[in-house]
mmCIF file of all heavy atoms in Angstrom:
data_model
loop_
_atom_site.group_PDB
_atom_site.id
_atom_site.type_symbol
_atom_site.label_atom_id
_atom_site.label_comp_id
_atom_site.label_asym_id
_atom_site.label_seq_id
_atom_site.Cartn_x
_atom_site.Cartn_y
_atom_site.Cartn_z
ATOM 1 N N SER B 593 4.764 -17.203 1.266
ATOM 2 C CA SER B 593 5.040 -18.442 0.550
ATOM 3 C C SER B 593 4.020 -18.681 -0.552
ATOM 4 O O SER B 593 2.805 -18.600 -0.323
ATOM 5 C CB SER B 593 5.012 -19.614 1.539
ATOM 6 O OG SER B 593 5.230 -20.835 0.877
ATOM 7 N N GLY B 594 4.528 -18.930 -1.756
ATOM 8 C CA GLY B 594 3.639 -19.171 -2.883
ATOM 9 C C GLY B 594 3.349 -17.922 -3.704
ATOM 10 O O GLY B 594 2.869 -18.017 -4.838
ATOM 11 N N HIS B 595 3.622 -16.755 -3.136
ATOM 12 C CA HIS B 595 3.426 -15.519 -3.892
ATOM 13 C C HIS B 595 4.620 -15.276 -4.801
ATOM 14 O O HIS B 595 5.767 -15.438 -4.414
ATOM 15 C CB HIS B 595 3.255 -14.335 -2.940
ATOM 16 C CG HIS B 595 1.907 -14.270 -2.303
ATOM 17 N ND1 HIS B 595 1.481 -13.171 -1.601
ATOM 18 C CD2 HIS B 595 0.890 -15.162 -2.279
ATOM 19 C CE1 HIS B 595 0.243 -13.388 -1.169
ATOM 20 N NE2 HIS B 595 -0.129 -14.596 -1.554
ATOM 21 N N ARG B 596 4.329 -14.846 -6.021
ATOM 22 C CA ARG B 596 5.398 -14.640 -6.991
ATOM 23 C C ARG B 596 5.576 -13.179 -7.375
ATOM 24 O O ARG B 596 6.489 -12.828 -8.101
ATOM 25 C CB ARG B 596 5.116 -15.486 -8.232
ATOM 26 C CG ARG B 596 5.133 -16.997 -7.947
ATOM 27 C CD ARG B 596 4.589 -17.783 -9.108
ATOM 28 N NE ARG B 596 5.393 -17.626 -10.300
ATOM 29 C CZ ARG B 596 5.004 -18.029 -11.514
ATOM 30 N NH1 ARG B 596 3.828 -18.585 -11.672
ATOM 31 N NH2 ARG B 596 5.802 -17.872 -12.547
ATOM 32 N N SER B 597 4.668 -12.333 -6.926
ATOM 33 C CA SER B 597 4.759 -10.915 -7.252
ATOM 34 C C SER B 597 5.244 -10.147 -6.029
ATOM 35 O O SER B 597 4.744 -10.343 -4.918
ATOM 36 C CB SER B 597 3.375 -10.391 -7.678
ATOM 37 O OG SER B 597 3.361 -8.979 -7.687
ATOM 38 N N VAL B 598 6.212 -9.280 -6.255
ATOM 39 C CA VAL B 598 6.711 -8.414 -5.187
ATOM 40 C C VAL B 598 6.742 -6.975 -5.690
ATOM 41 O O VAL B 598 7.293 -6.697 -6.763
ATOM 42 C CB VAL B 598 8.128 -8.824 -4.738
ATOM 43 C CG1 VAL B 598 8.674 -7.801 -3.732
ATOM 44 C CG2 VAL B 598 8.111 -10.217 -4.101
ATOM 45 N N SER B 599 6.133 -6.096 -4.928
ATOM 46 C CA SER B 599 6.139 -4.669 -5.264
ATOM 47 C C SER B 599 6.813 -3.895 -4.145
ATOM 48 O O SER B 599 6.777 -4.307 -2.984
ATOM 49 C CB SER B 599 4.704 -4.149 -5.437
ATOM 50 O OG SER B 599 4.052 -4.802 -6.494
ATOM 51 N N TRP B 600 7.385 -2.766 -4.503
ATOM 52 C CA TRP B 600 8.053 -1.899 -3.539
ATOM 53 C C TRP B 600 7.422 -0.524 -3.575
ATOM 54 O O TRP B 600 7.097 0.010 -4.642
ATOM 55 C CB TRP B 600 9.544 -1.776 -3.875
ATOM 56 C CG TRP B 600 10.350 -3.020 -3.626
ATOM 57 C CD1 TRP B 600 10.557 -4.054 -4.490
ATOM 58 C CD2 TRP B 600 11.053 -3.361 -2.429
ATOM 59 N NE1 TRP B 600 11.355 -5.013 -3.908
ATOM 60 C CE2 TRP B 600 11.675 -4.614 -2.652
ATOM 61 C CE3 TRP B 600 11.238 -2.735 -1.192
ATOM 62 C CZ2 TRP B 600 12.468 -5.253 -1.680
ATOM 63 C CZ3 TRP B 600 12.016 -3.356 -0.239
ATOM 64 C CH2 TRP B 600 12.620 -4.605 -0.484
ATOM 65 N N TYR B 601 7.265 0.061 -2.381
ATOM 66 C CA TYR B 601 6.706 1.394 -2.241
ATOM 67 C C TYR B 601 7.590 2.198 -1.286
ATOM 68 O O TYR B 601 8.153 1.660 -0.330
ATOM 69 C CB TYR B 601 5.285 1.339 -1.674
ATOM 70 C CG TYR B 601 4.292 0.687 -2.597
ATOM 71 C CD1 TYR B 601 4.152 -0.697 -2.653
ATOM 72 C CD2 TYR B 601 3.479 1.457 -3.422
ATOM 73 C CE1 TYR B 601 3.252 -1.300 -3.509
ATOM 74 C CE2 TYR B 601 2.566 0.867 -4.281
ATOM 75 C CZ TYR B 601 2.470 -0.508 -4.320
ATOM 76 O OH TYR B 601 1.575 -1.102 -5.172
ATOM 77 N N GLN B 602 7.654 3.494 -1.554
ATOM 78 C CA GLN B 602 8.340 4.413 -0.662
ATOM 79 C C GLN B 602 7.291 5.250 0.059
ATOM 80 O O GLN B 602 6.376 5.776 -0.569
ATOM 81 C CB GLN B 602 9.267 5.339 -1.453
ATOM 82 C CG GLN B 602 10.057 6.312 -0.592
ATOM 83 C CD GLN B 602 10.666 7.452 -1.399
ATOM 84 O OE1 GLN B 602 9.952 8.258 -1.976
ATOM 85 N NE2 GLN B 602 11.989 7.515 -1.426
ATOM 86 N N GLN B 603 7.420 5.364 1.370
ATOM 87 C CA GLN B 603 6.478 6.166 2.140
ATOM 88 C C GLN B 603 7.207 7.278 2.862
ATOM 89 O O GLN B 603 8.111 7.019 3.673
ATOM 90 C CB GLN B 603 5.714 5.299 3.155
ATOM 91 C CG GLN B 603 4.630 6.064 3.893
ATOM 92 C CD GLN B 603 3.818 5.199 4.832
ATOM 93 O OE1 GLN B 603 4.280 4.154 5.289
ATOM 94 N NE2 GLN B 603 2.598 5.610 5.126
ATOM 95 N N THR B 604 6.826 8.518 2.577
ATOM 96 C CA THR B 604 7.377 9.684 3.255
ATOM 97 C C THR B 604 6.235 10.577 3.710
ATOM 98 O O THR B 604 5.153 10.553 3.112
ATOM 99 C CB THR B 604 8.298 10.498 2.330
ATOM 100 O OG1 THR B 604 7.537 10.938 1.193
ATOM 101 C CG2 THR B 604 9.483 9.681 1.861
ATOM 102 N N PRO B 605 6.459 11.388 4.748
ATOM 103 C CA PRO B 605 5.385 12.288 5.208
ATOM 104 C C PRO B 605 4.943 13.263 4.119
ATOM 105 O O PRO B 605 3.767 13.592 4.023
ATOM 106 C CB PRO B 605 6.036 13.025 6.386
ATOM 107 C CG PRO B 605 7.112 12.105 6.854
ATOM 108 C CD PRO B 605 7.635 11.432 5.626
ATOM 109 N N GLY B 606 5.853 13.708 3.295
ATOM 110 C CA GLY B 606 5.521 14.709 2.296
ATOM 111 C C GLY B 606 4.859 14.156 1.048
ATOM 112 O O GLY B 606 3.888 14.706 0.543
ATOM 113 N N GLN B 607 5.367 13.049 0.551
ATOM 114 C CA GLN B 607 4.885 12.476 -0.708
ATOM 115 C C GLN B 607 3.914 11.318 -0.525
ATOM 116 O O GLN B 607 3.302 10.862 -1.490
ATOM 117 C CB GLN B 607 6.070 12.004 -1.558
ATOM 118 C CG GLN B 607 7.031 13.113 -1.959
ATOM 119 C CD GLN B 607 6.341 14.166 -2.796
ATOM 120 O OE1 GLN B 607 5.566 13.860 -3.703
ATOM 121 N NE2 GLN B 607 6.587 15.423 -2.492
ATOM 122 N N GLY B 608 3.777 10.850 0.695
ATOM 123 C CA GLY B 608 2.878 9.723 0.932
ATOM 124 C C GLY B 608 3.471 8.428 0.410
ATOM 125 O O GLY B 608 4.683 8.237 0.420
ATOM 126 N N LEU B 609 2.605 7.559 -0.086
ATOM 127 C CA LEU B 609 3.029 6.252 -0.586
ATOM 128 C C LEU B 609 3.190 6.314 -2.096
ATOM 129 O O LEU B 609 2.251 6.632 -2.818
ATOM 130 C CB LEU B 609 1.985 5.191 -0.231
ATOM 131 C CG LEU B 609 2.012 4.719 1.208
ATOM 132 C CD1 LEU B 609 0.617 4.376 1.694
ATOM 133 C CD2 LEU B 609 2.921 3.511 1.346
ATOM 134 N N GLN B 610 4.383 5.985 -2.557
ATOM 135 C CA GLN B 610 4.654 6.032 -3.987
ATOM 136 C C GLN B 610 5.213 4.696 -4.461
ATOM 137 O O GLN B 610 6.088 4.127 -3.819
ATOM 138 C CB GLN B 610 5.651 7.151 -4.299
ATOM 139 C CG GLN B 610 5.098 8.543 -4.039
ATOM 140 C CD GLN B 610 6.090 9.610 -4.459
ATOM 141 O OE1 GLN B 610 7.111 9.805 -3.832
ATOM 142 N NE2 GLN B 610 5.785 10.272 -5.557
ATOM 143 N N PHE B 611 4.716 4.253 -5.594
ATOM 144 C CA PHE B 611 5.127 2.989 -6.187
ATOM 145 C C PHE B 611 6.519 3.095 -6.777
ATOM 146 O O PHE B 611 6.831 4.027 -7.529
ATOM 147 C CB PHE B 611 4.108 2.620 -7.270
ATOM 148 C CG PHE B 611 4.481 1.430 -8.103
ATOM 149 C CD1 PHE B 611 4.352 0.149 -7.614
ATOM 150 C CD2 PHE B 611 4.942 1.608 -9.403
ATOM 151 C CE1 PHE B 611 4.673 -0.952 -8.397
ATOM 152 C CE2 PHE B 611 5.259 0.514 -10.187
ATOM 153 C CZ PHE B 611 5.127 -0.759 -9.684
ATOM 154 N N LEU B 612 7.346 2.128 -6.431
ATOM 155 C CA LEU B 612 8.712 2.075 -6.974
ATOM 156 C C LEU B 612 8.782 1.125 -8.168
ATOM 157 O O LEU B 612 9.119 1.526 -9.272
ATOM 158 C CB LEU B 612 9.686 1.628 -5.891
ATOM 159 C CG LEU B 612 10.131 2.711 -4.918
ATOM 160 C CD1 LEU B 612 10.582 2.099 -3.608
ATOM 161 C CD2 LEU B 612 11.247 3.542 -5.529
ATOM 162 N N PHE B 613 8.541 -0.149 -7.934
ATOM 163 C CA PHE B 613 8.532 -1.140 -9.014
ATOM 164 C C PHE B 613 7.884 -2.426 -8.544
ATOM 165 O O PHE B 613 7.668 -2.637 -7.356
ATOM 166 C CB PHE B 613 9.929 -1.437 -9.577
ATOM 167 C CG PHE B 613 11.078 -1.226 -8.635
ATOM 168 C CD1 PHE B 613 11.212 -1.990 -7.486
ATOM 169 C CD2 PHE B 613 12.030 -0.267 -8.902
ATOM 170 C CE1 PHE B 613 12.270 -1.800 -6.622
ATOM 171 C CE2 PHE B 613 13.103 -0.071 -8.046
ATOM 172 C CZ PHE B 613 13.221 -0.838 -6.904
ATOM 173 N N GLU B 614 7.589 -3.264 -9.556
ATOM 174 C CA GLU B 614 7.008 -4.573 -9.279
ATOM 175 C C GLU B 614 7.781 -5.635 -10.041
ATOM 176 O O GLU B 614 8.156 -5.430 -11.206
ATOM 177 C CB GLU B 614 5.543 -4.649 -9.708
ATOM 178 C CG GLU B 614 4.916 -5.998 -9.348
ATOM 179 C CD GLU B 614 3.755 -6.398 -10.236
ATOM 180 O OE1 GLU B 614 3.392 -5.644 -11.151
ATOM 181 O OE2 GLU B 614 3.209 -7.490 -10.004
ATOM 182 N N TYR B 615 8.000 -6.738 -9.377
ATOM 183 C CA TYR B 615 8.661 -7.883 -9.995
ATOM 184 C C TYR B 615 7.741 -9.099 -9.959
ATOM 185 O O TYR B 615 7.002 -9.306 -8.995
ATOM 186 C CB TYR B 615 9.973 -8.208 -9.276
ATOM 187 C CG TYR B 615 11.044 -7.205 -9.562
ATOM 188 C CD1 TYR B 615 11.163 -6.055 -8.799
ATOM 189 C CD2 TYR B 615 11.926 -7.389 -10.629
ATOM 190 C CE1 TYR B 615 12.129 -5.113 -9.080
ATOM 191 C CE2 TYR B 615 12.905 -6.450 -10.911
ATOM 192 C CZ TYR B 615 12.987 -5.313 -10.135
ATOM 193 O OH TYR B 615 13.958 -4.377 -10.421
ATOM 194 N N PHE B 616 7.821 -9.859 -11.043
ATOM 195 C CA PHE B 616 7.079 -11.114 -11.118
ATOM 196 C C PHE B 616 7.927 -12.100 -11.885
ATOM 197 O O PHE B 616 8.403 -11.794 -12.978
ATOM 198 C CB PHE B 616 5.722 -10.913 -11.812
ATOM 199 C CG PHE B 616 4.911 -12.161 -11.927
ATOM 200 C CD1 PHE B 616 4.198 -12.638 -10.839
ATOM 201 C CD2 PHE B 616 4.859 -12.869 -13.118
ATOM 202 C CE1 PHE B 616 3.451 -13.792 -10.933
ATOM 203 C CE2 PHE B 616 4.115 -14.022 -13.225
ATOM 204 C CZ PHE B 616 3.405 -14.484 -12.130
ATOM 205 N N SER B 617 8.120 -13.266 -11.324
ATOM 206 C CA SER B 617 8.940 -14.300 -11.960
ATOM 207 C C SER B 617 10.271 -13.742 -12.442
ATOM 208 O O SER B 617 10.667 -13.935 -13.597
ATOM 209 C CB SER B 617 8.179 -14.938 -13.140
ATOM 210 O OG SER B 617 7.094 -15.677 -12.675
ATOM 211 N N GLU B 618 10.934 -13.016 -11.561
ATOM 212 C CA GLU B 618 12.283 -12.489 -11.779
ATOM 213 C C GLU B 618 12.353 -11.371 -12.813
ATOM 214 O O GLU B 618 13.449 -10.949 -13.202
ATOM 215 C CB GLU B 618 13.245 -13.618 -12.154
ATOM 216 C CG GLU B 618 13.317 -14.742 -11.128
ATOM 217 C CD GLU B 618 14.240 -15.864 -11.539
ATOM 218 O OE1 GLU B 618 15.451 -15.612 -11.693
ATOM 219 O OE2 GLU B 618 13.747 -17.001 -11.721
ATOM 220 N N THR B 619 11.202 -10.897 -13.288
ATOM 221 C CA THR B 619 11.173 -9.839 -14.307
ATOM 222 C C THR B 619 10.515 -8.586 -13.744
ATOM 223 O O THR B 619 9.483 -8.675 -13.076
ATOM 224 C CB THR B 619 10.390 -10.315 -15.547
ATOM 225 O OG1 THR B 619 11.005 -11.488 -16.069
ATOM 226 C CG2 THR B 619 10.365 -9.229 -16.613
ATOM 227 N N GLN B 620 11.115 -7.443 -14.030
ATOM 228 C CA GLN B 620 10.477 -6.207 -13.621
ATOM 229 C C GLN B 620 9.305 -5.932 -14.543
ATOM 230 O O GLN B 620 9.474 -5.763 -15.753
ATOM 231 C CB GLN B 620 11.464 -5.039 -13.675
ATOM 232 C CG GLN B 620 10.888 -3.757 -13.088
ATOM 233 C CD GLN B 620 11.860 -2.587 -13.189
ATOM 234 O OE1 GLN B 620 11.901 -1.861 -14.169
ATOM 235 N NE2 GLN B 620 12.659 -2.411 -12.153
ATOM 236 N N ARG B 621 8.109 -5.843 -13.968
ATOM 237 C CA ARG B 621 6.905 -5.661 -14.761
ATOM 238 C C ARG B 621 6.539 -4.191 -14.910
ATOM 239 O O ARG B 621 6.043 -3.765 -15.944
ATOM 240 C CB ARG B 621 5.749 -6.403 -14.096
ATOM 241 C CG ARG B 621 5.936 -7.887 -14.016
ATOM 242 C CD ARG B 621 5.573 -8.540 -15.291
ATOM 243 N NE ARG B 621 4.172 -8.304 -15.611
ATOM 244 C CZ ARG B 621 3.334 -9.227 -15.970
ATOM 245 N NH1 ARG B 621 3.726 -10.467 -16.024
ATOM 246 N NH2 ARG B 621 2.099 -8.933 -16.273
ATOM 247 N N ASN B 622 6.726 -3.447 -13.857
ATOM 248 C CA ASN B 622 6.349 -2.043 -13.867
ATOM 249 C C ASN B 622 7.333 -1.247 -13.045
ATOM 250 O O ASN B 622 7.939 -1.764 -12.109
ATOM 251 C CB ASN B 622 4.942 -1.862 -13.271
ATOM 252 C CG ASN B 622 3.880 -2.558 -14.073
ATOM 253 O OD1 ASN B 622 3.612 -2.201 -15.211
ATOM 254 N ND2 ASN B 622 3.289 -3.581 -13.491
ATOM 255 N N LYS B 623 7.468 0.018 -13.390
ATOM 256 C CA LYS B 623 8.391 0.879 -12.667
ATOM 257 C C LYS B 623 7.735 2.220 -12.433
ATOM 258 O O LYS B 623 7.084 2.773 -13.328
ATOM 259 C CB LYS B 623 9.677 1.059 -13.478
ATOM 260 C CG LYS B 623 10.798 1.747 -12.708
ATOM 261 C CD LYS B 623 12.040 1.840 -13.572
ATOM 262 C CE LYS B 623 13.280 2.268 -12.821
ATOM 263 N NZ LYS B 623 13.130 3.313 -11.842
ATOM 264 N N GLY B 624 7.913 2.754 -11.243
ATOM 265 C CA GLY B 624 7.376 4.061 -10.925
ATOM 266 C C GLY B 624 8.321 5.156 -11.375
ATOM 267 O O GLY B 624 9.356 4.915 -12.005
ATOM 268 N N ASN B 625 7.979 6.370 -11.044
ATOM 269 C CA ASN B 625 8.730 7.538 -11.486
ATOM 270 C C ASN B 625 9.837 7.879 -10.495
ATOM 271 O O ASN B 625 9.767 8.873 -9.781
ATOM 272 C CB ASN B 625 7.773 8.722 -11.665
ATOM 273 C CG ASN B 625 8.452 9.900 -12.326
ATOM 274 O OD1 ASN B 625 9.433 9.727 -13.034
ATOM 275 N ND2 ASN B 625 7.937 11.086 -12.075
ATOM 276 N N PHE B 626 10.843 7.056 -10.457
ATOM 277 C CA PHE B 626 11.993 7.264 -9.578
ATOM 278 C C PHE B 626 13.265 7.243 -10.419
ATOM 279 O O PHE B 626 13.311 6.594 -11.472
ATOM 280 C CB PHE B 626 12.050 6.152 -8.509
ATOM 281 C CG PHE B 626 11.152 6.408 -7.336
ATOM 282 C CD1 PHE B 626 9.810 6.092 -7.397
ATOM 283 C CD2 PHE B 626 11.645 6.972 -6.175
ATOM 284 C CE1 PHE B 626 8.968 6.328 -6.324
ATOM 285 C CE2 PHE B 626 10.823 7.210 -5.088
ATOM 286 C CZ PHE B 626 9.476 6.889 -5.169
ATOM 287 N N PRO B 627 14.302 7.938 -9.942
ATOM 288 C CA PRO B 627 15.554 7.958 -10.722
ATOM 289 C C PRO B 627 16.214 6.592 -10.791
ATOM 290 O O PRO B 627 15.893 5.688 -10.024
ATOM 291 C CB PRO B 627 16.422 8.965 -9.948
ATOM 292 C CG PRO B 627 15.831 9.036 -8.586
ATOM 293 C CD PRO B 627 14.370 8.784 -8.746
ATOM 294 N N GLY B 628 17.152 6.471 -11.705
ATOM 295 C CA GLY B 628 17.832 5.204 -11.921
ATOM 296 C C GLY B 628 18.656 4.727 -10.741
ATOM 297 O O GLY B 628 19.100 3.572 -10.722
ATOM 298 N N ARG B 629 18.831 5.587 -9.746
ATOM 299 C CA ARG B 629 19.563 5.159 -8.536
ATOM 300 C C ARG B 629 18.789 4.064 -7.790
ATOM 301 O O ARG B 629 19.369 3.340 -6.986
ATOM 302 C CB ARG B 629 19.754 6.348 -7.583
ATOM 303 C CG ARG B 629 20.526 7.504 -8.162
ATOM 304 C CD ARG B 629 20.776 8.577 -7.117
ATOM 305 N NE ARG B 629 19.558 9.193 -6.615
ATOM 306 C CZ ARG B 629 19.029 8.969 -5.410
ATOM 307 N NH1 ARG B 629 19.609 8.139 -4.562
ATOM 308 N NH2 ARG B 629 17.908 9.593 -5.040
ATOM 309 N N PHE B 630 17.518 3.986 -8.060
ATOM 310 C CA PHE B 630 16.669 2.975 -7.431
ATOM 311 C C PHE B 630 16.556 1.783 -8.381
ATOM 312 O O PHE B 630 16.127 1.934 -9.535
ATOM 313 C CB PHE B 630 15.278 3.535 -7.147
ATOM 314 C CG PHE B 630 15.251 4.578 -6.069
ATOM 315 C CD1 PHE B 630 15.591 5.888 -6.352
ATOM 316 C CD2 PHE B 630 14.889 4.251 -4.773
ATOM 317 C CE1 PHE B 630 15.569 6.858 -5.356
ATOM 318 C CE2 PHE B 630 14.855 5.206 -3.772
ATOM 319 C CZ PHE B 630 15.202 6.517 -4.070
ATOM 320 N N SER B 631 16.956 0.645 -7.913
ATOM 321 C CA SER B 631 16.880 -0.550 -8.742
ATOM 322 C C SER B 631 16.481 -1.730 -7.874
ATOM 323 O O SER B 631 16.490 -1.647 -6.641
ATOM 324 C CB SER B 631 18.222 -0.830 -9.421
ATOM 325 O OG SER B 631 19.220 -1.101 -8.447
ATOM 326 N N GLY B 632 16.150 -2.798 -8.530
ATOM 327 C CA GLY B 632 15.762 -3.978 -7.768
ATOM 328 C C GLY B 632 15.979 -5.229 -8.579
ATOM 329 O O GLY B 632 16.390 -5.187 -9.751
ATOM 330 N N ARG B 633 15.724 -6.330 -7.949
ATOM 331 C CA ARG B 633 15.758 -7.605 -8.645
ATOM 332 C C ARG B 633 14.957 -8.614 -7.847
ATOM 333 O O ARG B 633 14.658 -8.407 -6.663
ATOM 334 C CB ARG B 633 17.189 -8.086 -8.837
ATOM 335 C CG ARG B 633 17.999 -8.281 -7.553
ATOM 336 C CD ARG B 633 19.374 -8.800 -7.871
ATOM 337 N NE ARG B 633 20.226 -8.895 -6.686
ATOM 338 C CZ ARG B 633 21.400 -9.524 -6.669
ATOM 339 N NH1 ARG B 633 21.859 -10.114 -7.761
ATOM 340 N NH2 ARG B 633 22.123 -9.552 -5.572
#
Side-chain angles (χ1 to χ4, degrees):
Chain B
S593 178
H595 284 191
R596 296 169 63 192
S597 166
V598 174
S599 298
W600 289 88
Y601 294 83
Q602 182 196 64
Q603 185 176 24
T604 60
Q607 298 299 316
L609 283 147
Q610 293 184 289
F611 172 77
L612 279 156
F613 27 64
E614 183 206 0
Y615 287 87
F616 180 79
S617 292
E618 303 178 62
T619 301
Q620 187 182 88
R621 297 278 299 228
N622 297 294
K623 190 178 191 319
N625 189 24
F626 278 82
R629 300 185 297 106
F630 291 81
S631 63
R633 59 178 175 169

